[in-house]
Amino acid sequence: MLIVQKYGGTSVGDLERIASVARKVAAARDAGHQVVVVLSAMSGETDKLLQMAHTMVAHPDEREIDMLLSTGERVTIALLAMKLIEMGYPARSFTGRQVGILTDSAHTRARIERISAERIRASLDAGEIPVVAGFQGIDEKSDVTTLGRGGSDTTAVALAAALKADACEIYTDVEGVYTTDPNLVPHARRLKKISYDEMLEMASLGAKVLHSRSVEFAKKYLVPVRVLSSFKDAPGTLVTKEDAEMEQVVVSAVTYNKNEARVTLMGVPDRPGIAARIFGPIAEARIVVDMIIQNISDGGLTDLSFTLSRSDLIPAMEIIRKTAREIGEREVKVHEHIAKVSIVGVGMRSHSGVAARMFETLAREGINIMMISTSEIKISCVMEAKYTELAVRVLHDAFGLGEEPGAVSEE
Ligand code: ASP
Ligand code: MG
């Protein structure tokens, strides 16, 4: 088998852990597999580099940020490759440029456009273990780009797709994908498998296990992805195609995201073209807007609210204030302490009353819902951030997601 193995930051957090990754890679090799390794930077390293940039200057240039951040992964790939070589396994480290990961030019959040995997293929053919720097690529000008925080997952899945690998294993510090964050709900359960669509919703809703672009790649190229613990020998969670069994379950998981903010534009003229004027420039700046709600207009004016990632708030507000002046609306309000709590499940397609049950459950706890949005397989509610833990806990129970007391795991 050809296996792509990705190890996250905590799995390569110090030299000892890198040595233990080397032993895991070697074991897969000894079992007769071809292995391509993708690594993150040591845990905390990317944050440290970013902090340095922001201490150096107030608004670091994004091209230079990418140049800086791409160094983190260089450290781990070289260390792992030299360890493998010492252990008698031919290995070679490669940067994003060296393996031909071509991206667009959106620095700090680039998207992979093409992978010319010849170099890796040649390395595999030569009997080597290629060790690839995650999270980075180059654009058409040969400038270094990065794929957004957590982007090493995407490198791994994209490589697995390009190489038509038999498996893509994502090794991390948790044991798989859970029904919700086990830090909030101790009896949260590990899922044996989950569909691409559910994982995609969960990733974009704030579950941090997998980078959402990586799930898009997996879905598009049908790459089976297994999320596993680096530290414990356990089966993990398989992210795969939907099957009939999955549809029996109405809700598979509860997720939350506390990193959003809500912006409200008061007194917006209610006429064609205004929403395009407001959101066009935001999209051009590649800022992702999440929920959008517009009220019924009153006297030709309306209020328009939307949510976005809090980290995008400053650049977004610059753009919005400018547009606001141009279209002459009255006031812009920001609410920074909101959270979005969501339930996800492909079973929602075939079961009714799911939304009502969610709203009733929240109402019983006196939690006020500020915004609601739905898709075929998820329902999200925005609320005051202080209710997050409570909401997650009661929803997890209301949809019967917890481990049955005394239940024995089948595996
Ligand atoms: N090192 C990068 C980050 O911390 C990419 C990754 O680990 O996936 O976001
Ligand atoms: Mg990660």
Side-chain angles (χ1 to χ4, degrees):
M1 285 218 298
L2 171 57
I3 306 173
V4 175
Q5 295 190 332
K6 180 253 168 178
Y7 293 89
T10 32
S11 314
V12 293
D14 56 38
L15 298 182
E16 203 147 304
R17 287 187 171 176
I18 294 177
S20 109
V21 166
R23 288 190 289 274
K24 281 178 89 88
V25 173
R29 199 38 205 271
D30 291 343
H33 303 305
Q34 284 188 306
V35 189
V36 175
V37 183
V38 175
L39 296 185
S40 284
M42 289 180 173
S43 59
E45 192 54 35
T46 309
D47 286 328
K48 210 187 296 167
L49 292 167
L50 261 179
Q51 210 188 332
M52 261 162 63
H54 288 279
T55 309
M56 190 81 218
V57 294
H59 299 288
D61 181 88
E62 291 194 323
R63 178 189 180 278
E64 304 311 325
I65 288 190
D66 278 353
M67 187 63 97
L68 181 67
L69 295 192
S70 69
T71 61
E73 272 74 10
R74 282 189 173 226
V75 172
T76 50
I77 56 170
L79 289 168
L80 179 69
M82 61 180 81
K83 184 67 193 172
L84 283 166
I85 293 167
E86 187 198 62
M87 288 162 62
Y89 294 82
R92 218 172 256 277
S93 62
F94 297 105
T95 63
R97 172 200 305 272
Q98 287 175 312
V99 294
I101 296 180
L102 246 95
T103 72
D104 62 16
S105 300
H107 284 290
T108 74
R109 48 188 171 274
R111 293 165 75 100
I112 295 178
E113 289 183 338
R114 199 151 40 82
I115 295 185
S116 48
E118 293 109 54
R119 186 91 191 256
I120 294 197
R121 282 223 183 277
S123 171
L124 285 168
D125 289 346
E128 294 167 357
I129 300 169
V131 182
V132 181
F135 172 60
Q136 55 176 264
I138 51 162
D139 68 3
E140 55 180 13
K141 297 192 295 273
S142 279
D143 281 339
V144 177
T145 54
T146 63
L147 310 180
R149 298 307 304 272
S152 296
D153 297 335
T154 299
T155 306
V157 178
L159 268 177
L163 294 166
K164 300 197 171 49
D166 301 291
C168 181
E169 301 174 342
I170 307 283
Y171 287 91
T172 174
D173 53 357
V174 293
E175 276 172 52
V177 181
Y178 279 74
T179 49
T180 196
D181 182 353
N183 296 316
L184 285 199
V185 183
H187 57 284
R189 209 163 29 87
R190 178 180 55 81
L191 295 158
K192 288 190 196 104
K193 58 182 174 179
I194 187 160
S195 69
Y196 292 125
D197 285 330
E198 287 168 314
M199 195 65 236
L200 204 50
E201 289 281 11
M202 287 173 71
S204 53
L205 290 171
K208 289 175 205 78
V209 217
L210 286 177
H211 194 230
S212 38
R213 281 287 288 154
S214 74
V215 189
E216 284 176 27
F217 264 104
K219 182 185 170 185
K220 187 163 171 198
Y221 298 101
L222 294 176
V223 179
V225 174
R226 195 174 278 282
V227 180
L228 297 151
S229 161
S230 299
F231 308 115
K232 209 178 147 181
D233 204 9
T237 300
L238 182 67
V239 188
T240 183
K241 275 199 313 243
E242 198 174 316
D243 61 30
E245 198 187 326
M246 291 174 180
E247 282 200 49
Q248 309 276 301
V249 185
V250 183
V251 170
S252 301
V254 181
T255 64
Y256 65 95
N257 183 350
K258 287 183 171 179
N259 299 317
E260 293 204 0
R262 182 184 66 179
V263 176
T264 304
L265 291 92
M266 313 282 286
V268 179
D270 189 14
R271 58 180 147 79
I274 290 294
R277 280 278 295 282
I278 294 168
F279 294 109
I282 297 177
E284 259 162 51
R286 289 199 156 248
I287 293 169
V288 177
V289 168
D290 184 18
M291 290 188 202
I292 302 176
I293 289 181
Q294 184 180 326
N295 274 346
I296 294 174
S297 70
D298 184 13
L301 295 178
T302 183
D303 300 338
L304 196 146
S305 292
F306 61 92
T307 60
L308 77 178
S309 166
R310 205 177 306 134
S311 61
D312 287 333
L313 191 59
I314 292 171
M317 285 306 288
E318 272 172 31
I319 298 168
I320 292 157
R321 290 228 166 79
K322 187 160 168 282
T323 317
R325 275 195 302 275
E326 287 165 18
I327 58 177
E329 110 283 321
R330 291 180 199 146
E331 202 187 330
V332 185
K333 284 188 186 164
V334 175
H335 191 327
E336 287 196 58
H337 303 286
I338 59 164
K340 182 172 64 174
V341 175
S342 313
I343 55 177
V344 177
V346 287
M348 276 183 213
R349 290 198 196 110
S350 46
H351 292 78
S352 58
V354 183
R357 184 133 117 233
M358 179 177 195
F359 304 152
E360 277 159 20
T361 306
L362 295 175
R364 224 176 296 126
E365 302 298 329
I367 300 172
N368 186 42
I369 302 171
M370 292 158 55
M371 293 167 106
I372 299 166
S373 82
T374 63
S375 81
E376 223 189 353
I377 63 162
K378 74 116 202 268
I379 304 168
S380 299
C381 292
V382 170
M383 60 192 67
E384 296 276 353
K386 64 181 180 203
Y387 293 125
T388 316
E389 284 79 5
L390 176 62
V392 169
R393 212 158 7 94
V394 295
L395 289 170
H396 194 263
D397 285 344
F399 288 97
L401 293 178
E403 192 94 67
E404 315 252 318
V408 189
S409 173
E410 297 149 50
E411 279 163 351

